[in-house]
Amino acid sequence: MSWVFFCELWQNKLSLEPLKGLQLIGRVQVMYQVVPGGAGGTITDVIPKQKHSKDTRPLVWAGVIGLVLLIAAVTAWCYYIASLRKAELLKTQLLDLNKDGYIIRNQGGSIVFRMDFRSGTLDLDSCSKEGELLSCGRTTDRNLNFFIETVRPKDTVQCYRVRWEELVPDIPVEHAMTYTFAHWYGGAVSAIQHWPISISGQQPPKPFVTGDIYSNRNEFGGILESYWLSSNATAIKINNSVPFHLGWNDTEKTMSFQARYNDSPFKSNPGEAPCAELSYRVCVGLDVTSIHKYMVRRYFNKPNKVPAKVMFRHPIWSTWALHKTDIDQEKVLTYAANIRKYKFNCSHLQLDDRYTSRYGEFEFDQTKFPNASSMFQRLKSDGFLVSLWIHPFVNYDSENFHSCVERGLFVREPTGRLPALVRWWNGIGGILDFTNPEARDWFSSQLRSLRSRYGVSSFKFDAGETNYLPWKFSTRTPIRDPSFFTRRYTEMAIPYNDRAELRSGYQSQNISCFFRPIDRDSVWGYELGLKSLIPTVLTISILGYQFILPDMIGGNAYLNRTDGNSVLPDRELYIRWLELSAFMPSMQFSIPPWAYDNEVVEIARKYTALHESIVAPRVLELAGEVLDTGDPIIRPLWWIATGDETAYKIDSQFLIGDDLMVAPVLEPGKQERDIYLPAGHWRSYKGERFDIKEPLHLTDYPVDLDEIAYFVWV
């Protein structure tokens, strides 16, 4: 008889009335005995049975105690066997589930992922396992649907589908991921961008939706995906259907993943109770690069075409940072003439804010542009293509506002009866409802009209973030996730994606145009400054957006947000920004080099030529591969150094593909920098050869003001 069978039998017996005869032990009884008598019959004698003496009673009680101890020992052993069986039940592959959360180990047995349950304690007696599906039906105080399913999509990847579904409305679901096991990347762009993610302070879970981080620097940025990747080859992707809120706590070292509808802009499906569900996938691979490749191929949209090649080869020239809203016909023509005068190439000229008299109109301001048609013809004859700045707002003082209200083209307040007025950086008005086919058609017709009348080549689609929607709103087609509004807006760029530019994106990788991080300040630091540029571009790349326009060289020269003693960005800052931009997928000028001096002009010529001859051909080659793989064009150093702890933390160097490593100077007053060189065969831009089997740290490597350090794989 096995111990398991014996324990089951024992536990069943314990449920019956135990050992009924034990009550006779120690009781004094009188027994009668019949004995043979004389002839003619029998004699019956009464013989009292001898009473137990006081000396024998301790032995009896010792027996009772021993029997009780034996029962207790057997019972404890059986419960131990049962607990082992339950513990085995709550294991699936390399995941261990307990009542408060779960951990995942790698093949070597090390813990690589830990998630704690903050919305309830599982009742483990309600759990069962069938094949690779482990499910539970209760917490300690309510019913729920919970499961973890193990999936092994390939030999080198182990994935777990996790779902916690509440059955009672308005109960949030919250899981807390411990982030101390590794370095983490992804999620969203932010105003203060670090690589890897740097968490400080405490933030209760808030809606994970696209936002304008220039106007509100505590929000999540305009390019955002619910995906994170760690240096220990673990990745997590939150399902798109989740009403997802993200928080963090640097004391507990946790990131909080929460699903809720209460006090949230997320909405449940029409006609359904607002029962929250948190569902996601956790995947573990061999190394950080290979697991990211798997996740991108499995879960991300991919572009279906490469934008115009000239966008990669020649810089864009924008009027914004130079003229802001004080733009007119004469200034546009002068700007174009200077581009030719100083012998620069141009993919297209971008006419930015305030070419119309009011926001929400699509006619040129006759005062500022007395003959727009003539201006476009002249620019075309000089070899310039022109794109225009546009946005999704129609201000209340625009001639189009009243007709848009009458036709129901705006996002509405929650009841759906009235249009919602919103405040944006240029005033108050309505915001077009891009879930409404009629609003999409109206907006598209305005863009087509500009193209047909003036020969406009494309558009710069500004805004699109959900923070410009009311907290509570309604749309023609109901949307559960506010960021789906961002997705609908980005779709308006598809007809123009050869040269279009977007600054917001959510599930928008397949729009197939350039995405631009939000405006940078003309400062050196990590808060929307030069140092933020590489971490931001790497983050956008990890989120699946590979055609990146890294905003204007030198920043936007905003008042009180510019380093230096003049209205222009600091000269050294401008030069270092220019050098870095030359190694990005595309370049964009606004403050022109000739605003400084001849030396800056010569440096600008040098690096636009280098971009065209060295960088653009490699980027275009990689851009073609993106259509199939989704792999980044701009890559972190750990992409080729997956086992190196140092590579996980470097935020001031990057790769173009696997074979061009760039190390710009990002500090003021410096003409040297420390450089990390991964193992391999490298040749520097100075001609030096490095054949190294281990990573090499070059200390105080000289880099003059007109230089940027880069190394090519030999």
Side-chain angles (χ1 to χ4, degrees):
M1 179 185 297
S2 71
W3 271 109
V4 172
F5 178 78
F6 173 77
C7 286
E8 289 176 348
L9 181 63
W10 178 259
Q11 288 172 324
N12 289 335
K13 290 297 184 183
L14 288 179
S15 65
L16 303 175
E17 184 178 353
L19 301 177
K20 294 181 180 178
L22 285 178
Q23 69 266 29
L24 300 179
I25 295 177
R27 185 178 297 172
V28 178
Q29 304 175 47
V30 177
M31 304 295 293
Y32 295 89
Q33 185 178 17
V34 179
V35 297
T42 60
I43 300 174
T44 302
D45 296 328
V46 179
I47 306 176
K49 187 175 180 180
Q50 184 177 0
K51 286 186 177 181
H52 292 290
S53 70
K54 291 182 180 181
D55 292 337
T56 63
R57 288 181 182 179
L59 296 176
V60 173
W61 286 110
V64 172
I65 293 170
L67 183 58
V68 170
L69 290 175
L70 176 62
I71 293 170
V74 172
T75 302
W77 175 255
C78 289
Y79 276 111
Y80 173 68
I81 293 293
S83 67
L84 289 179
R85 296 177 67 200
K86 176 63 71 174
E88 188 63 30
L89 170 70
L90 299 180
K91 291 178 180 289
T92 174
Q93 298 294 337
L94 300 172
L95 182 146
D96 296 348
L97 175 69
N98 61 62
K99 62 185 177 61
D100 297 314
Y102 62 90
I103 60 172
I104 299 174
R105 304 176 189 274
N106 61 16
Q107 293 290 344
S110 300
I111 296 175
V112 294
F113 189 84
R114 173 178 171 176
M115 190 74 87
D116 294 324
F117 303 144
R118 295 291 174 82
S119 47
T121 301
L122 288 179
D123 178 358
L124 297 184
D125 289 332
S126 73
C127 300
S128 61
K129 185 178 179 183
E130 183 175 346
E132 300 297 336
L133 184 68
L134 200 165
S135 60
C136 304
R138 282 189 55 80
T139 66
T140 53
D141 62 357
R142 64 188 183 276
N143 293 330
L144 84 162
N145 289 329
F146 172 83
F147 74 75
I148 298 178
E149 182 181 19
T150 303
V151 181
R152 194 172 184 87
K154 53 190 299 187
D155 290 342
T156 57
V157 176
Q158 182 88 21
C159 292
Y160 305 90
R161 294 178 56 225
V162 182
R163 186 179 77 180
W164 179 303
E165 180 187 3
E166 290 291 347
L167 304 179
V168 178
D170 295 326
I171 296 179
V173 182
E174 184 175 333
H175 293 180
M177 181 189 77
T178 301
Y179 59 75
T180 54
F181 296 109
H183 305 290
W184 286 88
Y185 315 91
V189 296
S190 59
I192 302 175
Q193 195 83 53
H194 291 286
W195 180 273
I197 294 171
S198 177
I199 292 177
S200 61
Q202 291 82 42
Q203 172 63 55
K206 62 181 181 179
F208 191 68
V209 295
T210 58
D212 179 350
I213 53 174
Y214 198 87
S215 61
N216 188 339
R217 304 204 172 190
N218 295 318
E219 296 298 324
F220 301 114
I223 299 175
L224 163 152
E225 302 290 336
S226 53
Y227 168 73
W228 288 267
L229 172 74
S230 81
S231 59
N232 62 11
T234 305
I236 180 168
K237 175 70 177 71
I238 310 297
N239 288 357
N240 295 332
S241 61
V242 172
F244 183 52
H245 297 66
L246 178 68
W248 54 85
N249 187 312
D250 67 349
T251 302
E252 298 179 351
K253 309 300 182 186
T254 57
M255 293 171 62
S256 297
F257 301 149
Q258 187 189 75
R260 76 168 191 260
Y261 293 110
N262 189 35
D263 187 29
S264 170
F266 288 89
K267 303 171 186 175
S268 58
N269 284 327
E272 293 184 2
C275 295
E277 174 191 312
L278 180 61
S279 53
Y280 54 89
R281 288 168 170 80
V282 180
C283 293
V284 182
L286 295 179
D287 59 68
V288 59
T289 302
S290 63
I291 193 62
H292 177 67
K293 287 184 175 183
Y294 168 78
M295 298 297 286
V296 167
R297 286 156 176 73
R298 177 67 179 82
Y299 297 114
F300 284 1
N301 294 323
K302 296 174 188 64
N304 50 44
K305 60 175 288 189
V306 177
K309 292 182 179 179
V310 70
M311 288 276 288
F312 296 90
R313 292 174 176 149
H314 298 161
I316 301 165
W317 295 79
S318 170
T319 63
W320 173 246
L322 180 61
H323 294 296
K324 305 296 190 297
T325 59
D326 187 24
I327 188 65
D328 58 37
Q329 183 169 322
E330 182 180 352
K331 289 176 180 175
V332 171
L333 293 173
T334 301
Y335 192 48
N338 281 328
I339 295 171
R340 292 289 180 248
K341 174 184 175 182
Y342 289 97
K343 298 180 172 57
F344 286 99
N345 288 321
C346 175
S347 67
H348 64 264
L349 185 65
Q350 190 175 86
L351 179 50
D352 213 287
D353 192 354
R354 212 49 194 261
Y355 57 88
T356 62
S357 58
R358 294 181 178 87
Y359 295 106
E361 297 177 1
F362 296 86
E363 296 291 340
F364 277 84
D365 185 334
Q366 291 294 314
T367 302
K368 301 173 75 174
F369 295 87
N371 196 336
S373 296
S374 174
M375 178 187 74
F376 274 91
Q377 290 171 3
R378 181 172 170 183
L379 290 170
K380 182 178 180 181
S381 66
D382 290 339
F384 288 97
L385 296 176
V386 180
S387 69
L388 296 179
W389 173 81
I390 56 169
H391 53 82
F393 307 102
V394 179
N395 277 11
Y396 70 89
D397 60 351
S398 164
E399 291 182 359
N400 289 323
F401 183 80
H402 182 68
S403 63
C404 288
V405 170
E406 286 188 331
R407 297 172 63 181
L409 304 186
F410 292 140
V411 172
R412 293 176 169 262
E413 44 78 43
T415 67
R417 292 192 296 267
L418 296 172
L421 289 180
V422 300
R423 182 182 295 277
W424 62 298
W425 67 91
N426 278 328
I428 297 174
I431 184 168
L432 291 167
D433 177 4
F434 292 102
T435 74
N436 181 349
E438 190 176 354
R440 294 165 68 91
D441 290 344
W442 180 83
F443 188 71
S444 295
S445 70
Q446 305 299 325
L447 304 189
R448 288 194 301 270
S449 176
L450 287 168
R451 170 174 271 188
S452 63
R453 289 182 63 186
Y454 302 108
V456 173
S457 65
S458 191
F459 298 92
K460 172 185 176 178
F461 291 81
D462 213 353
E465 299 92 351
T466 61
N467 68 290
Y468 290 111
L469 297 170
W471 179 253
K472 297 290 185 180
F473 64 92
S474 63
T475 50
R476 174 67 64 86
T477 302
I479 54 177
R480 298 178 59 192
D481 181 346
S483 292
F484 196 68
F485 175 86
T486 299
R487 164 68 197 190
R488 279 286 179 251
Y489 177 59
T490 62
E491 291 170 355
M492 305 309 296
I494 291 175
Y496 311 98
N497 57 13
D498 261 4
R499 297 170 183 270
E501 170 189 328
L502 285 159
R503 83 170 196 190
S504 58
Y506 175 67
Q507 301 176 32
S508 304
Q509 297 91 341
N510 60 347
I511 302 301
S512 307
C513 69
F514 273 89
F515 286 82
R516 172 183 65 89
I518 205 164
D519 302 16
R520 303 288 111 174
D521 288 328
S522 299
V523 298
W524 289 89
Y526 284 102
E527 184 173 344
L528 297 179
L530 178 60
K531 285 185 181 178
S532 74
L533 203 56
I534 295 174
T536 299
V537 169
L538 289 174
T539 298
I540 294 172
S541 296
I542 288 297
L543 299 180
Y545 298 86
Q546 310 308 341
F547 308 138
I548 301 171
L549 179 64
D551 202 38
M552 300 169 195
I553 291 168
N556 286 264
Y558 291 129
L559 187 64
N560 299 325
R561 290 179 174 173
T562 299
D563 286 345
N565 298 317
S566 70
V567 294
L568 293 176
D570 175 74
R571 182 179 183 274
E572 182 187 6
L573 173 69
Y574 184 88
I575 292 171
R576 293 305 191 190
W577 207 306
L578 165 62
E579 293 163 352
L580 171 56
S581 293
F583 286 85
M584 290 291 164
S586 187
M587 299 179 72
Q588 186 176 39
F589 285 100
S590 184
I591 302 292
W594 56 85
Y596 293 93
D597 52 50
N598 288 334
E599 183 184 11
V600 176
V601 172
E602 288 303 317
I603 293 172
R605 287 180 183 145
K606 170 184 175 181
Y607 282 99
T608 53
L610 182 147
H611 176 84
E612 183 176 359
S613 63
I614 295 179
V615 178
R618 183 65 179 119
V619 168
L620 279 166
E621 182 182 357
L622 294 165
E625 297 174 7
V626 166
L627 308 186
D628 296 322
T629 67
D631 290 346
I633 294 173
I634 304 299
R635 301 173 181 176
L637 263 61
W638 51 249
W639 194 266
I640 61 170
T642 57
D644 191 335
E645 176 66 20
T646 301
Y648 296 139
K649 298 180 286 186
I650 290 179
D651 67 351
S652 63
Q653 298 176 223
F654 60 93
L655 295 164
I656 301 174
D658 292 345
D659 47 17
L660 178 56
M661 195 273 289
V662 186
V665 173
L666 304 175
E667 297 281 353
K670 296 288 187 180
Q671 295 198 24
E672 69 282 324
R673 65 156 292 164
D674 294 344
I675 295 175
Y676 167 90
L677 204 58
H681 308 282
W682 299 96
R683 184 178 66 248
S684 78
Y685 69 105
K686 300 176 181 180
E688 304 153 310
R689 181 74 179 251
F690 298 90
D691 296 303
I692 49 177
K693 295 182 179 180
E694 299 290 336
L696 178 65
H697 293 266
L698 303 175
T699 304
D700 292 334
Y701 187 83
V703 186
D704 291 342
L705 180 61
D706 65 341
E707 294 180 331
I708 181 171
Y710 64 94
F711 300 77
V712 179
W713 183 273
V714 180

